[in-house]
Amino acid sequence: MQAAVFHEPGKPLSIENVDDPVCGPGELILKVKQCGICGTDLHASNGGAMLPPCGTIFGHEFSGEIVEIGRDSHSSWRIGQPAVALPFISCGKCRYCLNGNAFFCSDVQRTGLGVGPQGGYAEYVRVGSAESLAIPKGVSWDFATLVEPLAVGLHGVNISKFRPGHRALVVGAGPIGIATIKWLRNLGARDIMVMELSDDRKAMAEELDITGIIDASLHPKEIADIYQKSTGAPPDIIFECVGLPGVLNNCVQIAAPMSEIVILGVCDKPDTFTPFLGTMKELTIKFAVAYLKDDFQYTLSLLEQGRINPINMISNHANFNSLPSIFEGLKTEKDQCKVLFSPEC
């Protein structure tokens, strides 16, 4: 099969012929229809703490059609059935798996993140039957592919103290920031304001049902004052969706006493903040990672019902010919939200 292969930092992805994935017990093979390009892929390809091994095939936001079913898989699966999958294959037996949070399984194989099975920048991908979900009728391939980033935003909101009527500040209007905004609005936020540096991403955020946008280059005190004047109160929760050094410290300065900061951005570099300020405000700082299978199911259900519409998250499509250059461009350009790769284009 064809795949886009990572070899080393500084070199574009290479389109190569590689071995087809082999379907094992309790597994499925999907023919990839769409796969989203994630900021985590971009960060990992630059090296540092997240550097994957040579030969990695990225891509953990995918939708596809079942072409092979391994033995011991659930009997409800059918060849040709559209499906999405959590990007890991877990043991299904440890306490994390039994509690519904298989991301922390000690025997987990991660799909497209440099450990275990290859990812969705390819014609086919191997997934776990237990980690897969059927795509409901009426949900397009584009929307199904966005289930993964939407689930990241949903999980961050779900593990926070958010309740309907709360005010929120979302830091960053990239894909995860926009996903978080959509869930906050869907779940009854009173006010949502967005902090952003990029003019292009400010324009994307303006299309959403938010209270306003604040320039992230301003001093944290100015940002806090603007939020207070715009909404009549400080934010109950700040969702940090950027993942760059210095952002957490700004959030701590902006946050009101006894409020909460939820970290969804992936920062793989050392960072500092002033704990004393957090102590004096009695802040709660919570880190969010990935999602539960229930987050995927809830997202699929709302997409099926038309209760959440992620159409404005999609900014471009790519094929094998354009993927390497688009992938490199996304490392510096901030004029796009979510680019979807299709092997069939």
Side-chain angles (χ1 to χ4, degrees):
M1 70 173 181
Q2 276 195 307
V5 183
F6 168 81
H7 287 287
E8 61 180 283
K11 287 191 175 182
L13 302 178
S14 173
I15 306 304
E16 303 174 9
N17 287 316
V18 301
D19 292 337
D20 290 351
V22 177
C23 190
E27 296 175 351
L28 308 172
I29 302 295
L30 301 184
K31 182 179 181 181
V32 178
K33 292 292 185 178
Q34 304 267 23
C35 183
I37 299 177
C38 178
T40 305
D41 304 337
L42 304 173
H43 289 313
S45 71
N46 282 331
M50 296 172 64
L51 178 65
C54 176
T56 290
I57 300 170
F58 291 122
H60 55 277
E61 305 175 359
F62 49 79
S63 60
E65 182 180 283
I66 297 174
V67 294
E68 189 174 350
I69 302 171
R71 63 181 177 83
D72 301 330
S73 295
H74 197 282
S75 60
S76 64
W77 292 119
R78 297 288 181 268
I79 298 296
Q81 191 170 9
V84 294
L86 282 72
F88 46 80
I89 301 173
S90 58
C91 74
K93 301 175 183 177
C94 69
R95 66 188 181 100
Y96 296 112
C97 289
L98 295 175
N99 287 335
N101 205 335
F103 178 87
F104 297 105
C105 171
S106 59
D107 293 326
V108 75
Q109 300 176 66
R110 304 200 187 282
T111 304
L113 295 177
V115 180
Q118 46 89 178
Y121 295 0
E123 292 184 273
Y124 300 95
V125 63
R126 175 167 67 99
V127 299
S129 170
E131 289 79 27
S132 299
L133 300 97
I135 300 172
K137 289 183 179 179
V139 176
S140 69
W141 291 117
D142 279 3
F143 282 16
T145 306
L146 294 174
V147 167
E148 198 273 356
L150 285 169
V152 172
L154 176 61
H155 185 65
V157 174
N158 280 344
I159 68 168
S160 75
K161 69 176 186 180
F162 174 79
R163 295 292 181 272
H166 274 173
R167 295 176 170 91
L169 173 63
V170 177
V171 182
I176 300 307
I178 288 180
T180 302
I181 292 166
K182 286 183 176 293
W183 287 118
L184 288 168
R185 178 55 65 215
N186 183 276
L187 296 171
R190 179 173 180 174
D191 285 295
I192 306 168
M193 297 197 74
V194 179
M195 266 176 62
E196 178 56 63
L197 277 173
S198 162
D199 288 338
D200 291 310
R201 289 189 168 177
K202 287 177 184 175
M204 294 179 202
E206 284 174 351
E207 298 178 2
L208 306 175
D209 183 16
I210 59 175
T211 306
I213 298 171
I214 305 174
D215 190 332
S217 67
L218 296 174
H219 188 277
K221 185 179 185 309
E222 291 180 274
I223 293 170
D225 288 344
I226 291 171
Y227 193 103
Q228 175 87 27
K229 290 176 182 177
S230 300
T231 69
D236 299 289
I237 310 174
I238 299 175
F239 292 91
E240 196 279 278
C241 303
V242 175
L244 290 176
V247 178
L248 174 57
N249 191 49
N250 286 345
C251 291
V252 170
Q253 294 181 67
I254 295 166
M258 295 179 288
S259 64
E260 182 178 47
I261 301 169
V262 179
I263 312 296
L264 288 92
V266 178
C267 183
D268 63 344
K269 297 178 177 62
D271 197 6
T272 60
F273 72 99
T274 307
F276 175 75
L277 184 56
T279 299
M280 295 307 293
K281 292 183 178 182
E282 206 167 280
L283 299 181
T284 298
I285 300 177
K286 183 171 289 186
F287 291 83
V289 65
Y291 25 63
L292 308 179
K293 188 176 180 180
D294 284 350
D295 297 323
F296 265 56
Q297 187 62 72
Y298 185 76
T299 301
L300 281 168
S301 296
L302 265 64
L303 287 171
E304 181 184 20
Q305 298 165 25
R307 291 169 56 195
I308 190 163
N309 186 344
I311 186 65
N312 52 7
M313 291 178 66
I314 303 169
S315 53
N316 201 358
H317 288 77
N319 56 24
F320 274 123
N321 290 332
S322 60
L323 178 59
S325 60
I326 289 178
F327 189 90
E328 290 301 305
L330 288 172
K331 294 179 181 181
T332 55
E333 298 166 3
K334 301 299 180 185
D335 61 341
Q336 302 198 60
C337 182
K338 181 60 65 176
V339 177
L340 303 181
F341 157 71
S342 174
E344 299 181 336
C345 292

